[in-house]
């Protein structure tokens, strides 16, 4: 986690850096700090809490430097405090460093450096980095820039773990060095300037041309130039990639919060994700994939691996793959996958889903699957993200930047893409052709139906106002609806801090029904006609015990049986999750707003979890 940003050019750096930090705050907001190259050396300003504390610091406006680095922190090693805030400097104050990632061997390095006369002032793992650079820097005899490069390289080779680093050195005031390993970092190229950031949206208003770095590529930045070096410091060529995202897509555009904006962007996100892949009159196309009937028939199992909301999208993917393609499928939580010795082999197809493409657990699971000989596909929303660089095949959702910590449009785009993928496989396998044609035409109608669903916002808000003070809620569903119940419960928990549980509707009576008492809210998703009767009975079981019931459905049911019914548009049950989740995203949103919470930046969370 943590967000880092940097600037080297001809403009005053501090406003650019602070602006970048504000955009990266979703990655962590325990503290923020900045370091710039000033006439009298390296400046260092930092404080606990949000970026606004930093820009309120006395003297921040006086920073004149046109080169600088900055950091917003999600604490891992060392509590949130001023001392533990980044940037960190070495003892001699020659180097200033910001770091995103975790240095696993920091204890050994700290001991080594302490034995060599260095003192530590924070509890962070990061503080070893500037001091280790200094240690090697002292040993280099030459006085040109290669001294700095070599010292940084040697220090990085000693680090075990993950890092994205920006480094300033007061002896080379016109330079900055950046490098990454297993943590995200991009460089945006301007005409005579470069912008550095943990993600693309934070600097999209400055440029659309990006250098995407591989692990251990060292970059020496000077005003107007960027030189790239491999792990052994051989100079290498690097091309820029142009990112098609519109700069305004990372603004709030008049909405109160990014989350609300992103909920309302779902029709366009789904339309873009389907793109030209689905055509009613021809076969589904995936330019990125080249699978044959022979290959797909040889797949013994599909493993979907992901975390959080992306894992909930995977649950829908599994359902579709099994139903449409008859390929046995499993869903794994990425952080568990590696440690359960999964039976993955060369006949397995492993699909990794991650909005950011930077989730450490998901990346680690992908690496393991490759080692075991499986074919791997990544599904991500971020072009060139780490996950996509590791996978055999990469396919993208086209949701546009998702800034709110709580994922909304990325989830529905992932489910959409998984539906398109299942249809594509099914066509190759020559299965279910009538059903496939129906699903294809229904997919193309989805954006309109989502627009209709969004018009239900006021009704959902009314119900949210009735229950926002509750402590616990339950979400139920059967079949594919249970996956949506899980996602709805997660959404409510993460932004409203209300305890929420999701259950397969038929499972509640095996224990958890003991928790149902007067006025407990039970929300049920019901979109499959084959499961309606049984699910209605399950709701009755809780209603008779005093529960307040909300139902999200497109089925013909007796509304008198429930406290509130939200009618969503009719859609094939296999595609229903893309619609039925939307009222529940809004439900969580309105509750969070009513409670006066920070919807976009819920406590303790960060948007992309780059630590295992
Ligand atoms: C969703 O609202 C969460 N913020 C979280 O569960 C998220 O989906 C998870 O951390 C995975 O992130 P990724 O898609 O970027 O890998």
């Amino acid at each position: 986690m943590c967000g880092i940003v940097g600037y080297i050019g001809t403009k005053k750096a501090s406003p650019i850096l602070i602006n970048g930090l504000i955009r990266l705050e979703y990655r962590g907001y325990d503290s923020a700090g900045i370091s710039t190259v000033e006439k009298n050396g390296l400046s260092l300003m930092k404080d606990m809490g949000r970026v606004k504390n930093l820009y309120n610091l006395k003297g921040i406006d006086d920073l004149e430097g046109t080169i600088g680095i900055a950091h917003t922190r999600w604490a891992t090693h060392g509590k949130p405090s001023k001392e533990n805030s980044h940037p960190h400097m070495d003892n001699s104050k020659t180097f200033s460093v910001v770091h995103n990632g975790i240095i696993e061997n920091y204890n050994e390095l700290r001991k080594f450096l302490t034995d060599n006369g260095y003192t530590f002032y924070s509890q962070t793992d990061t503080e070893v980095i500037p001091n280790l650079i200094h240690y090697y820097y002292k040993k280099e005899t030459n006085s040109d820039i290669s001294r700095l490069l070599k010292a940084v390289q040697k220090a990085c080779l000693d680090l075990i773990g993950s890092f994205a680093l920006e480094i300033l050195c007061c002896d080379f005031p016109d330079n900055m060095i950046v490098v990454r390993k297993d943590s995200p970092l991009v460089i945006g190229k301007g005409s005579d300037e470069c912008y550095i950031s943990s993600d693309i949206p934070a600097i999209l208003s400055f440029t659309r041309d990006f250098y995407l770095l591989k692990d251990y590529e060292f970059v020496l930045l000077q005003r107007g130039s960027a030189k790239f070096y491999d792990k052994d410091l051989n100079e290498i060529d690097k091309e820029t990639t142009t990112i098609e995202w519109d700069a305004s897509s990372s603004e709030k555009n008049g909405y109160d919060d990014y989350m609300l904006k992103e909920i309302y962007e779902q029709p366009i996100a789904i339309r873009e994700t389907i793109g030209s892949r689905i055509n009613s009159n021809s076969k589904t196309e995936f330019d990125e994939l080249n699978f044959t009937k022979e290959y797909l028939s040889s797949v013994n199992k599909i493993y979907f691996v992901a975390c959080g909301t992306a894992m909930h999208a995977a649950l829908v993917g599994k359902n579709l793959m099994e139903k449409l393609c008859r390929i046995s499928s499993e869903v794994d939580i990425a952080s568990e996958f590696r440690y359960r010795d999964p039976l993955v082999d060369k006949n397995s197809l492993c699909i990794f889903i991650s909005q950011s493409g930077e989730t450490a657990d998901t990346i680690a699971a992908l690496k393991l699957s490759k080692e075991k000989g499986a074919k791997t596909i990544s599904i991500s929303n971020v072009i060139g993200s780490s996950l996509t660089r590791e996978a055999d095949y990469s396919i993208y959702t086209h949701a546009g930047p998702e800034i709110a910590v709580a994922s909304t449009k990325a989830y529905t785009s992932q489910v959409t893409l998984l539906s398109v993928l299942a249809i594509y496989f099914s066509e190759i396998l020559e299965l279910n052709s009538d059903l496939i044609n129906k699903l294809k035409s229904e997919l193309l109608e989805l954006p309109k139906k989502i627009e209709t669903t969004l018009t239900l916002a006021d009704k959902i808000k009314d119900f949210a106002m009735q229950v926002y003070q509750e402590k616990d809620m339950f979400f139920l569903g059967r079949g594919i609806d249970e996956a949506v119940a899980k996602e709805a419960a997660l959404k409510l928990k993460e932004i409203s801090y209300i305890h929420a549980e999701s259950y397969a509707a038929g499972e509640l009576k095996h224990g958890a029904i003991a928790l149902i008492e007067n006025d407990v809210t039970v929300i049920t998703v019901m979109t499959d006609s084959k499961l309606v009767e049984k699910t209605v009975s399950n709701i009755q079981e809780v209603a008779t015990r005093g529960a307040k019931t909300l139902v999200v459905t497109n089925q013909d049911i007796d509304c008198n049986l429930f406290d509130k019914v939200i009618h969503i548009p009719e859609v094939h049950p296999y595609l229903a999750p893309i619609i039925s989740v939307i009222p529940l995203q809004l439900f969580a949103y309105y509750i969070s707003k009513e409670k006066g919470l920070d919807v976009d930046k819920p406590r303790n969370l960060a948007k992309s979890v780059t630590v295992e």
Side-chain angles (χ1 to χ4, degrees):
M1 352 273 229
C2 302
I4 64 178
V5 61
Y7 175 74
I8 177 162
T10 52
K11 297 180 198 126
K12 188 166 154 155
S14 56
I16 297 171
L17 296 174
I18 287 175
N19 185 284
L21 285 187
I22 291 168
R23 288 162 187 273
L24 288 175
E25 233 187 358
Y26 72 86
R27 301 177 66 88
Y29 22 88
D30 290 328
S31 64
I34 181 173
S35 179
T36 53
V37 181
E38 299 296 317
K39 286 202 182 77
N40 53 354
L42 300 178
S43 74
L44 179 68
M45 299 188 85
K46 49 192 187 177
D47 205 355
M48 251 185 86
R50 300 223 161 160
V51 177
K52 70 172 185 304
N53 297 0
L54 177 69
Y55 67 67
N56 286 334
L57 284 182
K58 207 163 154 261
I60 197 120
D61 292 336
D62 303 333
L63 298 176
E64 293 297 336
T66 58
I67 300 180
I69 58 179
H71 186 274
T72 180
R73 178 168 187 244
W74 188 83
T76 56
H77 295 61
K79 63 179 192 304
S81 69
K82 189 170 173 187
E83 310 77 68
N84 289 333
S85 310
H86 299 220
H88 287 281
M89 287 184 138
D90 66 302
N91 289 175
S92 71
K93 306 219 180 308
T94 307
F95 300 99
S96 185
V97 170
V98 291
H99 167 222
N100 171 29
I102 286 189
I103 305 306
E104 290 164 11
N105 60 337
Y106 82 102
N107 266 329
E108 293 94 293
L109 293 171
R110 207 171 158 120
K111 177 162 185 329
F112 169 78
L113 289 163
T114 309
D115 292 347
N116 280 277
Y118 289 83
T119 307
F120 288 88
Y121 300 95
S122 77
Q123 292 89 53
T124 64
D125 51 342
T126 301
E127 203 183 354
V128 297
I129 301 172
N131 286 305
L132 196 58
I133 295 172
H134 179 261
Y135 171 82
Y136 285 118
Y137 187 72
K138 273 189 322 185
K139 293 188 179 300
E140 292 293 327
T141 48
N142 46 343
S143 58
D144 61 13
I145 191 74
S146 66
R147 178 181 183 198
L148 175 60
L149 264 171
K150 280 187 186 153
V152 171
Q153 178 223 26
K154 285 183 179 157
C156 286
L157 294 180
D158 282 353
L159 304 177
I160 298 176
S162 58
F163 50 84
L165 299 173
E166 295 173 338
I167 300 148
L168 296 177
C169 173
C170 64
D171 294 342
F172 295 94
D174 295 319
N175 297 266
M176 182 191 303
I177 294 189
V178 303
V179 58
R180 68 175 290 251
K181 193 227 153 207
D182 292 338
S183 284
L185 192 74
V186 294
I187 299 174
K189 183 178 179 297
S191 49
D192 53 359
E193 58 197 351
C194 279
Y195 301 84
I196 305 97
S197 173
S198 298
D199 77 11
I200 290 169
I203 50 177
L204 204 53
S205 55
F206 301 115
T207 179
R208 286 196 184 182
D209 296 325
F210 286 87
Y211 294 109
L212 306 174
L213 298 186
K214 291 196 184 127
D215 282 355
Y216 290 111
E217 283 181 348
F218 296 87
V219 191
L220 176 64
L221 294 164
Q222 292 165 333
R223 282 185 192 82
S225 90
K227 287 187 182 154
F228 297 88
Y229 301 87
D230 68 11
K231 200 171 181 176
D232 302 319
L233 293 187
N234 300 309
E235 197 167 341
I236 50 172
D237 290 331
K238 200 150 199 70
E239 298 290 317
T240 54
T241 303
T242 302
I243 301 294
E244 298 304 337
W245 285 348
D246 184 350
S248 70
S249 60
S250 50
E251 306 292 337
K252 282 191 196 159
N253 290 347
Y255 285 89
D256 282 354
D257 312 275
Y258 281 111
M259 183 181 176
L260 191 62
K261 175 186 169 240
E262 288 159 7
I263 289 174
Y264 276 87
E265 281 175 343
Q266 290 179 104
I268 176 85
I270 303 307
R271 197 172 283 126
E272 294 285 320
T273 296
I274 296 170
S276 55
R277 286 161 171 157
I278 292 272
N279 296 294
S280 24
N281 302 322
S282 56
K283 293 267 184 251
T284 303
E285 284 173 31
F286 268 101
D287 293 341
E288 310 87 332
L289 307 176
N290 58 0
F291 294 159
T292 59
K293 185 173 180 182
E294 192 191 6
Y295 167 68
L296 285 178
S297 309
S298 74
V299 171
N300 58 11
K301 182 155 283 186
I302 296 180
Y303 291 83
F304 291 95
V305 187
C307 302
T309 286
M311 188 274 288
H312 295 155
L315 294 170
V316 182
K318 164 194 157 77
N319 253 283
L320 294 176
M321 243 3 134
E322 293 194 334
K323 289 192 156 94
L324 298 180
C325 310
R326 308 309 296 165
I327 306 178
S328 164
S329 303
E330 266 183 40
V331 174
D332 270 273
I333 294 170
S335 55
E336 293 290 321
F337 183 73
R338 270 205 302 167
Y339 305 104
R340 74 170 183 89
D341 194 11
L343 299 174
V344 171
D345 60 26
K346 65 179 181 11
N347 291 111
S348 313
L349 174 61
C350 298
I351 302 179
F352 299 85
I353 309 168
S354 170
Q355 187 284 130
S356 61
E358 301 295 346
T359 299
D361 286 318
T362 312
I363 295 169
L366 190 154
K367 288 180 179 164
L368 176 75
S369 307
K370 278 176 81 175
E371 277 165 28
K372 285 177 172 275
K375 257 199 198 352
T376 57
I377 301 180
S378 73
I379 293 184
S380 173
N381 194 39
V382 180
I383 292 174
S385 52
S386 305
L387 191 76
T388 66
R389 284 201 291 264
E390 295 284 344
D392 297 319
Y393 302 91
S394 288
I395 54 178
Y396 290 97
T397 50
H398 294 289
E402 189 180 69
I403 311 287
V405 166
S407 181
T408 53
K409 63 175 181 172
Y411 168 80
T412 46
S413 300
Q414 286 161 351
V415 175
T416 302
L417 191 57
L418 288 164
S419 312
V420 179
L421 192 67
I423 288 171
Y424 168 73
F425 282 5
S426 172
E427 283 178 345
I428 294 174
L429 290 164
E430 298 175 61
L431 295 170
N432 299 311
S433 65
D434 289 348
L435 174 59
I436 290 302
N437 287 337
K438 176 158 177 47
L439 290 175
K440 283 165 80 170
S441 66
E442 287 220 18
L443 262 171
L444 296 170
E445 287 168 20
L446 272 180
K448 274 254 152 297
K449 292 186 179 177
I450 295 173
E451 278 164 18
T452 310
T453 310
L454 289 166
T455 64
L456 301 169
D458 285 344
K459 282 193 185 159
I460 296 152
K461 189 173 182 180
D462 282 352
F463 189 74
M465 293 310 99
Q466 287 171 36
V467 298
Y468 75 94
Q469 282 170 317
E470 292 191 7
K471 297 258 177 301
D472 305 283
M473 293 195 199
F474 289 84
F475 290 81
L476 307 181
R478 277 175 182 259
I480 236 168
D481 291 333
E482 192 209 343
V484 176
K486 282 191 164 27
E487 172 57 10
L490 176 65
K491 220 79 306 166
L492 187 70
K493 279 186 269 207
E494 65 179 335
I495 61 167
S496 77
Y497 315 151
I498 293 175
H499 170 240
E501 298 258 5
S502 63
Y503 271 90
E507 179 66 10
L508 199 70
K509 58 184 174 292
H510 296 285
I513 201 165
L515 297 169
I516 303 294
E517 52 186 350
N518 239 5
D519 274 348
V520 166
T521 295
V522 178
I523 298 176
T524 308
V525 184
M526 200 162 49
T527 63
D528 189 341
S529 58
K530 292 202 277 315
L531 304 171
V532 166
E533 262 180 49
K534 292 262 184 307
T535 311
V536 168
S537 303
N538 298 139
I539 305 173
Q540 289 306 295
E541 288 156 14
V542 295
T544 53
R545 286 162 177 85
K548 220 177 321 180
T549 56
L550 169 74
V551 177
V552 174
T553 188
N554 48 18
Q555 300 298 306
D556 191 11
I557 51 170
D558 178 358
C559 295
N560 296 319
L561 295 174
F562 316 103
D563 292 297
K564 182 113 183 166
V565 177
I566 300 288
H567 288 283
I568 55 171
E570 267 183 39
V571 62
H572 191 285
Y574 293 178
L575 303 178
I578 302 166
I579 292 186
S580 60
V581 75
I582 290 171
L584 300 172
Q585 295 170 341
L586 286 164
F587 176 72
Y589 172 81
Y590 287 124
I591 290 188
S592 177
K593 277 306 260 190
E594 190 60 21
K595 291 177 85 170
L597 301 173
D598 188 339
V599 174
D600 286 337
K601 299 186 198 89
R603 69 184 179 206
N604 304 338
L605 291 174
K607 179 78 179 158
S608 58
V609 184
T610 52
V611 294
E612 285 177 51

